[in-house]
Amino acid sequence: MFQFLVNAEGGLTSAGYVVSVLAVVLFIALIFILLRRKSSSFKMSTQQLVTCAIALALAYVTSYIRIFKLPFGGSVTLFSMLFIVLIGYWYGIRIGLLTGLVFGVLQFLQEPYVLSFFQVCCDYFLAFAALGLAGVFKNAKKHGLIKGYILAVIVRGAFHALGGYLYWMSYMPESFPKSLTAVYPIVYNYSYLLAEGVLTVIVISIPAVSKALNQIRNLCAPAAKPVSSKTA
């Protein structure tokens, strides 16, 4: 069954794409139903659902705009991680993790590579869900967004590195120093994540950008305590 869904190169077959898309549709529909149930202790307002959908769309589109791409996966994009991080920072960990998980599913459909179920979880589902951990700093009094973004990038990189240790060590180039073999997955994955992270932190630290993001937060998360441009 697994071979029917995955080709010899590790990508999805036509049947694999059909099954994956159907699974994603059912997954999102189930989430929507559960979140809208009156008996559920975890609910999302219509405004939150719309904001998350917009953030997912922006993240997905900007993930195609790549400043550069590494040969074995991973690239510096036009701030695609930031949109998911914002959801976690605005609405908290649970909504952030859920939005990140959906984004991970979309990333899997964008460029799937399957070696095992756990590898898919490390490289896609868990790694991108980790972006929602920015919600840890939801109520931070100062620089909450920057702190949340840094945490999200670090944890995402940790999942990619774990997948690297388990599945990708054979792809290590011969030119890489043998004495540093143990840190190859860490160096490889954080090379592009930190590059995008540094660029993003610089941009969101610009006073005009910080002020604009806080104004959007105050509109999209009215239940949250209003923040000023100094607390981003």
Side-chain angles (χ1 to χ4, degrees), residues 42-91:
F42 173 44
K43 298 179 181 179
M44 291 178 66
S45 67
T46 301
Q47 184 183 45
Q48 288 174 330
L49 286 170
V50 171
T51 303
C52 289
I54 293 173
L56 281 167
L58 290 172
Y60 189 68
V61 170
T62 53
S63 70
Y64 278 97
I65 306 174
R66 296 162 179 165
I67 299 174
F68 71 82
K69 181 179 179 180
L70 297 184
F72 301 115
S75 58
V76 176
T77 68
L78 190 64
F79 313 121
S80 63
M81 290 190 292
L82 176 61
F83 298 103
I84 307 302
V85 167
L86 286 172
I87 294 299
Y89 177 57
W90 290 346
Y91 296 136

Side-chain angles (χ1 to χ4, degrees), residues 165-189:
Y165 279 115
L166 296 177
Y167 301 102
W168 299 102
M169 291 300 289
S170 60
Y171 290 87
M172 184 180 69
E174 294 182 359
S175 59
F176 195 82
K178 299 300 181 183
S179 60
L180 299 177
T181 298
V183 298
Y184 172 69
I186 296 175
V187 172
Y188 182 92
N189 287 288

Side-chain angles (χ1 to χ4, degrees), residues 27 31 35 42-44 48 51-52 55-56 59 81-104 124-138 148 152:
F27 173 69
I31 290 175
L35 292 178
F42 173 44
K43 298 179 181 179
M44 291 178 66
Q48 288 174 330
T51 303
C52 289
L56 281 167
M81 290 190 292
L82 176 61
F83 298 103
I84 307 302
V85 167
L86 286 172
I87 294 299
Y89 177 57
W90 290 346
Y91 296 136
I93 294 178
R94 290 193 293 181
I95 295 179
L97 290 175
L98 180 59
T99 306
L101 177 60
V102 174
F103 184 51
Y124 298 97
F125 305 150
L126 296 176
F128 288 99
L131 297 177
L133 290 175
V136 169
F137 297 99
K138 176 184 177 182

